[in-house]
Amino acid sequence: MHTIPLNNRPRIVSGAAIAGKKEAAGPLRADFDQIIEDDLFGEETWEKAESRFQYTAGTLAIRKAGLTPDQLDVSLGGDLLDQIMATALSARELGIPFLGLYGACSTMAESLCVASMLADGGHVKHALCTASSHFCTAERQFRFPLEYGSQRPPTAQWTVTGAGSAVVSTDERLPAICRATHVTIGRIVDMSIKDANNMGAAMAPAAADTLRRHLTDLHRTADDYDLIITGDLGQVGRALLLTLMQEQGMPIDPARHMDCGLALFTPEQDVHAGGSGCGCSAVTLCGHIFRRFQQGELHRVLFMATGALLSPTTSQQGDTIPGIAHAIALEADP
Amino acid sequence: MHTIPLNNRPRIVSGAAIAGKKEAAGPLRADFDQIIEDDLFGEETWEKAESRFQYTAGTLAIRKAGLTPDQLDVSLGGDLLDQIMATALSARELGIPFLGLYGACSTMAESLCVASMLADGGHVKHALCTASSHFCTAERQFRFPLEYGSQRPPTAQWTVTGAGSAVVSTDERLPAICRATHVTIGRIVDMSIKDANNMGAAMAPAAADTLRRHLTDLHRTADDYDLIITGDLGQVGRALLLTLMQEQGMPIDPARHMDCGLALFTPEQDVHAGGSGCGCSAVTLCGHIFRRFQQGELHRVLFMATGALLSPTTSQQGDTIPGIAHAIALEADP
């Protein structure tokens, strides 16, 4: 039994999604709290800009919850940068006790999983969960400096510029957007993908592993969820996940599966296989999904952000890309 | 109130410390479970070697607890490498649900804090906590490739090659080395230190902030602990911590303060200001401190590992080094 029930069903009481220009040109534009046209967000470097995205999302989520930063017991988050620097610089400004996470693009789910367990156990009352990514910081770090003008193959994905934040709380006086009911922590699954331009294939087996364990543990099928939401599998990874689940005898109706990387952009936006990055699932959850919960369109979803633990160093040394996926079940407050 | 009581006092049921050659030449030699003479640990790269240190520590801690890896509900850990790659590769071998953490050298405390809260809340029964560092991977990544033969100033510290692991459990049938009673999660404190060769000064203010909050919340003084254990402040940071606590009106008797970075090496070992790295506090806690608990020499300690969230990228951009310190109070099982 790997799936952890949250008996007190901690509340998600607010969310904030701050998105970049390209993300705001896609189908989810109306769901973002703020759109930042300037890639640099008024800062001198992309790394500082990404940190400002996070700080802006975090402070807005806190404000939307009707709280002040000093009322938060803990902030949990991460990003794709070495030493999760965007998160660290944002946490420095916030001044909230801070747990740094590294789960690559699974970070939004990882932070919600940990925060929900800490709230469920009564160890924290209010927790802030945040994740971010930035196209320019990620390309420079993981692939090539943008100035090189490298070509991108069709399997490549587009790192989302944006940050999402949510406040998890045990305070019954705060209205809940939804409640967290179960956590399934991901295992590392590595199917020997070596191509940094094919992250969907590296992550899909991890998503299938987590989803299989989640459904088996709870004696559920995919049909028990309005949506199974993956983070950034993209076209390649989504197709692989659906195939893997079919093969495991636990088919997903494609209409019940939503990949944030595919939802964020239209095919005309030239992102190839779809969006990616910690910010991809973070802005989609904290903007789009929370809005649909609030409008009564969703009753139960599984939010399962996927991460490719790609390291440029070990990739150069010939190693493969480990994948991971953490899942948290969210239900409307009845 | 920032300090979180663990009402069920989760048990630390095993520890394993795997150390490198230089570490084993120091005063704590007898406390290590295994000494690895070869920097490469039989691998082709230092990164893979560091991962092998972690895997060796993790599997040994599990075995010493009388468990098998499939009985573990979660593994939590991290290291200093970009994308915590040593930890990810080790977690891939272990196959245990995995929460990746990034807290730089505070990681061993961060993993114990989170694991203890999850165990205390009943969300996990057995959790593995691990942290590692490696002199050769860290110098290459954060400072200069070793081949350059760079000189080191007197304030520089020596990154420890080693890994420590502990198993936290709620199983009353397993004999406890000690029990976790309170957690104080660190805040980021940044006193504008920019020198990657003076990490002690960057971390000491964070340690003072956490310690002040911990003692104030619990109405305790430093004298209520047999030892206040910091991770890797070194000579510079230790002196600064003692001064800061004095100035805050909460003096620490120097005999009650132990810095792992100073305990691991003798002055003759030419490590300048002391040891550092995630592995520094991990091997000292899981080897030396646990042994002293088992021999009845310690009754209550505060384990407070300190981290400098140094990023080469933001350092090159002129930013300063954020510091953090997480604390967990450990008591002998009466």
Side-chain angles (χ1 to χ4, degrees):
Chain A
M1 177 75 176
H2 298 272
T3 296
I4 300 165
L6 304 170
N7 296 325
N8 298 311
R9 297 162 50 95
R11 314 160 87 81
I12 294 180
V13 296
S14 72
I18 313 294
K21 181 172 56 174
K22 187 180 181 87
E23 290 68 26
L28 305 189
R29 179 184 182 88
D31 293 323
F32 300 133
D33 291 276
Q34 206 174 326
I35 293 156
I36 309 302
E37 299 282 337
D38 170 18
D39 275 349
L40 280 168
F41 208 155
E43 300 286 344
E44 286 179 350
T45 69
W46 291 322
E47 287 74 15
K48 288 197 171 80
E50 182 176 341
S51 183
R52 184 138 300 277
F53 270 92
Q54 258 209 43
Y55 179 78
T56 306
T59 49
L60 182 56
I62 294 170
R63 198 159 65 241
K64 286 171 81 173
L67 300 169
T68 52
D70 59 295
Q71 291 180 278
L72 277 282
D73 298 302
V74 67
S75 135
L76 305 98
D79 57 74
L80 290 173
L81 297 182
D82 298 342
Q83 297 86 44
I84 57 167
M85 195 41 52
T87 309
L89 296 184
S90 167
R92 183 173 68 185
E93 301 301 313
L94 285 168
I96 301 168
F98 169 63
L99 293 171
L101 306 177
Y102 189 80
C105 307
S106 74
T107 302
M108 193 68 213
E110 184 179 357
S111 68
L112 283 170
C113 288
V114 177
S116 297
M117 290 188 283
L118 298 187
D120 188 59
H123 297 100
V124 302
K125 185 172 178 185
H126 305 300
L128 181 70
C129 302
T130 309
S132 69
S133 53
H134 193 299
F135 177 75
C136 304
T137 62
E139 287 302 306
R140 169 153 73 188
Q141 182 179 287
F142 288 108
R143 294 176 191 91
F144 294 101
L146 293 177
E147 292 81 352
Y148 286 16
S150 300
Q151 286 200 318
R152 295 153 40 81
T155 53
Q157 293 177 235
W158 186 277
T159 305
V160 163
T161 300
S165 279
V167 173
V168 177
S169 176
T170 60
D171 190 338
E172 297 287 329
R173 294 168 304 180
L174 300 179
I177 295 171
C178 57
R179 285 169 173 257
T181 65
H182 296 85
V183 160
T184 308
I185 300 171
R187 297 191 293 202
I188 291 190
V189 179
D190 190 326
M191 301 301 279
S192 301
I193 303 290
K194 288 190 177 190
D195 181 359
N197 279 312
N198 193 359
M199 307 293 260
M203 295 186 286
D209 178 68
T210 299
L211 183 53
R212 179 186 56 73
R213 291 188 292 122
H214 180 85
L215 296 176
T216 304
D217 288 345
L218 299 184
H219 308 291
R220 290 182 181 172
T221 71
D223 291 343
D224 288 315
Y225 292 89
D226 297 329
L227 284 177
I228 308 275
I229 304 163
T230 51
D232 53 353
L233 293 179
Q235 285 168 11
V236 179
R238 168 184 156 95
L240 192 49
L241 173 65
L242 295 178
T243 302
L244 287 169
M245 293 308 292
Q246 181 83 42
E247 286 177 3
Q248 292 181 151
M250 308 175 100
I252 311 176
D253 173 359
R256 289 189 190 274
H257 175 248
M258 168 184 171
D259 185 67
C260 301
L262 293 171
L264 259 176
F265 298 109
T266 60
E268 293 70 38
Q269 285 183 279
D270 197 25
V271 296
H272 298 353
S276 68
C278 305
C280 179
S281 60
V283 298
T284 305
L285 178 76
C286 299
H288 179 71
I289 298 294
F290 286 175
R291 193 262 299 157
R292 291 181 65 185
F293 263 117
Q294 286 175 309
Q295 295 185 344
E297 291 174 31
L298 295 173
H299 298 95
R300 185 195 275 165
V301 306
L302 187 68
F303 177 67
M304 182 167 63
T306 39
L309 301 169
L310 168 68
S311 153
T313 303
T314 56
S315 284
Q316 286 161 13
Q317 294 172 359
D319 214 316
T320 55
I321 304 174
I324 196 163
H326 301 293
I328 185 162
L330 303 173
E331 286 188 15
D333 199 22
Chain B
M1 177 74 177
H2 299 272
T3 296
I4 300 165
L6 304 170
N7 295 325
N8 298 312
R9 298 162 51 95
R11 313 160 87 81
I12 295 180
V13 297
S14 71
I18 313 294
K21 183 173 54 173
K22 188 181 180 85
E23 291 67 26
L28 305 189
R29 179 185 181 88
D31 293 322
F32 301 132
D33 291 276
Q34 206 173 326
I35 293 157
I36 309 302
E37 298 282 335
D38 170 18
D39 275 348
L40 280 168
F41 208 154
E43 300 285 343
E44 285 179 350
T45 69
W46 291 322
E47 287 74 16
K48 289 197 171 81
E50 183 176 341
S51 184
R52 184 138 300 278
F53 270 91
Q54 257 207 45
Y55 179 78
T56 307
T59 48
L60 181 56
I62 293 169
R63 198 160 67 241
K64 286 171 81 174
L67 300 170
T68 53
D70 59 295
Q71 290 179 279
L72 276 283
D73 299 302
V74 67
S75 131
L76 306 100
D79 57 74
L80 291 173
L81 296 183
D82 298 343
Q83 298 86 43
I84 56 166
M85 195 40 54
T87 308
L89 297 185
S90 166
R92 182 172 70 185
E93 302 300 312
L94 284 169
I96 301 168
F98 170 62
L99 293 172
L101 306 178
Y102 189 79
C105 307
S106 73
T107 301
M108 193 69 215
E110 184 180 355
S111 67
L112 284 170
C113 287
V114 177
S116 297
M117 290 188 283
L118 298 186
D120 189 59
H123 298 99
V124 301
K125 185 172 177 186
H126 305 300
L128 180 69
C129 302
T130 309
S132 69
S133 53
H134 193 299
F135 177 75
C136 303
T137 63
E139 287 301 307
R140 169 152 73 188
Q141 180 179 288
F142 287 108
R143 294 179 190 88
F144 295 101
L146 293 178
E147 293 80 351
Y148 287 16
S150 300
Q151 285 200 318
R152 297 154 38 82
T155 54
Q157 293 176 236
W158 186 277
T159 304
V160 163
T161 299
S165 279
V167 173
V168 176
S169 175
T170 60
D171 190 338
E172 297 287 329
R173 292 168 305 181
L174 299 179
I177 295 171
C178 57
R179 286 169 172 257
T181 64
H182 296 86
V183 160
T184 308
I185 300 171
R187 297 192 293 201
I188 290 189
V189 178
D190 190 326
M191 301 301 279
S192 302
I193 303 291
K194 288 191 178 188
D195 181 359
N197 279 312
N198 192 0
M199 307 292 261
M203 297 187 284
D209 177 69
T210 299
L211 183 54
R212 179 185 55 73
R213 291 188 292 122
H214 180 86
L215 296 177
T216 305
D217 288 345
L218 299 184
H219 308 290
R220 290 182 180 172
T221 70
D223 290 344
D224 289 315
Y225 292 89
D226 297 329
L227 283 177
I228 308 276
I229 303 163
T230 51
D232 52 354
L233 294 179
Q235 285 168 10
V236 178
R238 168 185 156 94
L240 192 50
L241 173 65
L242 295 178
T243 301
L244 288 168
M245 293 308 292
Q246 180 83 42
E247 285 176 4
Q248 291 181 153
M250 307 176 98
I252 312 176
D253 173 358
R256 288 189 190 274
H257 174 250
M258 169 184 170
D259 184 67
C260 301
L262 293 172
L264 259 176
F265 298 109
T266 60
E268 293 69 39
Q269 286 183 278
D270 198 25
V271 295
H272 297 354
S276 68
C278 304
C280 179
S281 59
V283 298
T284 306
L285 178 75
C286 299
H288 179 71
I289 298 295
F290 286 176
R291 193 262 299 157
R292 291 181 63 185
F293 263 117
Q294 286 176 305
Q295 296 186 342
E297 291 175 30
L298 296 173
H299 298 94
R300 184 195 277 166
V301 306
L302 188 69
F303 177 67
M304 181 168 64
T306 40
L309 302 169
L310 168 69
S311 153
T313 304
T314 56
S315 284
Q316 285 161 14
Q317 293 172 359
D319 214 316
T320 54
I321 304 173
I324 197 163
H326 302 293
I328 185 163
L330 304 173
E331 287 188 15
D333 199 22

